[in-house]
Amino acid sequence: MKVTSLSFPYGESIQWFSPENFNSMPKTALKEWLLATGSLTQKLRSCCQHFEVKVLGEHLTTPLAGECPHQHRVWVREVLLCLDGEPWVFARTLIPEVLTTFHQHNFKALGTRPLGELLFSSNDIVPGKIEVAEFESCSKLAQLATSLSQEVNAPLWGRRRYFNLANQDIIVSEIFLPAAVAKINQSI
């Protein structure tokens, strides 16, 4: 794998849409995964023998244009979610700086622990709306997929989910890589 922390961050400014207002969503099994309201971590674990989080990078930074309009600084965490050694999902999380001081949710010390375990096990974190986006084959994320030896023959699809903690939004973006799309669409 050619992915290095020197390439961090991979995230890019993208237009996200409410699923109800986006007509070109895939009409495949992937659509169900994009709109699933439960834990993606649990759903992925049910598809493999070995689930792994590979941290690409994380640090405090200024969000990209349009990412967090009310935040000047956010903790950015980018990871690959791998199933049986194969990267399936690129995930980018934005945590408002003020939440990084919450000791009961030590976001900065997750390491290779999946964020989904924390988000769906805490009573004070409330899952919110889901938005979707399509990433063209020339995007930074398509280049990431190519560097992972995954051929990009079609646009990539992703979702963005909001989680509220102490009146602050944690934003989790999950982009399905070609290997995941192929296996998900074969499952029907």
Side-chain angles (χ1 to χ4, degrees):
M1 181 180 334
K2 299 173 191 161
V3 176
T4 69
S5 60
L6 298 176
S7 303
F8 172 79
Y10 288 92
E12 56 191 299
S13 248
I14 188 80
Q15 180 68 47
W16 295 89
F17 297 93
S18 169
E20 300 83 32
N21 300 331
F22 203 51
N23 297 329
S24 67
M25 281 188 62
K27 294 176 178 30
T28 62
L30 180 61
K31 181 177 180 178
E32 181 183 314
W33 282 67
L34 288 166
L35 302 179
T37 57
S39 167
L40 181 63
T41 299
Q42 283 184 339
K43 196 168 178 88
L44 291 169
R45 279 192 165 142
S46 71
C47 297
C48 67
Q49 297 295 315
H50 177 68
F51 178 83
E52 179 183 11
V53 175
K54 290 190 178 184
V55 179
L56 299 175
E58 51 188 338
H59 65 82
L60 196 61
T61 190
T62 304
L64 296 172
E67 275 190 322
C68 293
H70 307 298
Q71 301 295 328
H72 297 290
R73 306 270 291 160
V74 293
W75 182 257
V76 174
R77 172 179 161 93
E78 292 183 348
V79 302
L80 291 173
L81 305 179
C82 303
L83 281 64
D84 298 325
E86 185 171 40
W88 269 44
V89 173
F90 165 81
R92 176 178 171 88
T93 303
L94 305 171
I95 302 166
E97 182 176 18
V98 67
L99 295 181
T100 63
T101 62
F102 279 44
H103 298 293
Q104 70 272 30
H105 300 298
N106 197 353
F107 294 111
K108 287 183 171 183
L110 282 170
T112 58
R113 180 177 171 215
L115 176 66
E117 286 180 359
L118 177 62
L119 294 175
F120 285 93
S121 66
S122 177
N123 292 332
D124 53 348
I125 299 176
V126 180
K129 70 179 178 177
I130 294 174
E131 297 172 321
V132 296
E134 185 177 15
F135 296 80
E136 295 301 323
S137 58
C138 60
S139 71
K140 286 176 72 175
L141 295 174
Q143 293 170 14
L144 170 64
T146 301
S147 76
L148 297 167
S149 301
Q150 295 188 27
E151 192 172 333
V152 180
N153 295 321
L156 300 176
W157 282 90
R159 69 188 203 158
R160 176 168 77 173
R161 182 112 191 240
Y162 292 81
F163 294 85
N164 190 276
L165 171 62
N167 294 316
Q168 298 285 324
D169 281 330
I170 298 167
I171 303 172
V172 180
S173 303
E174 298 154 329
I175 292 74
F176 291 86
L177 298 172
V181 174
K183 297 222 170 89
I184 289 168
N185 287 335
Q186 288 172 1
S187 67
I188 283 209

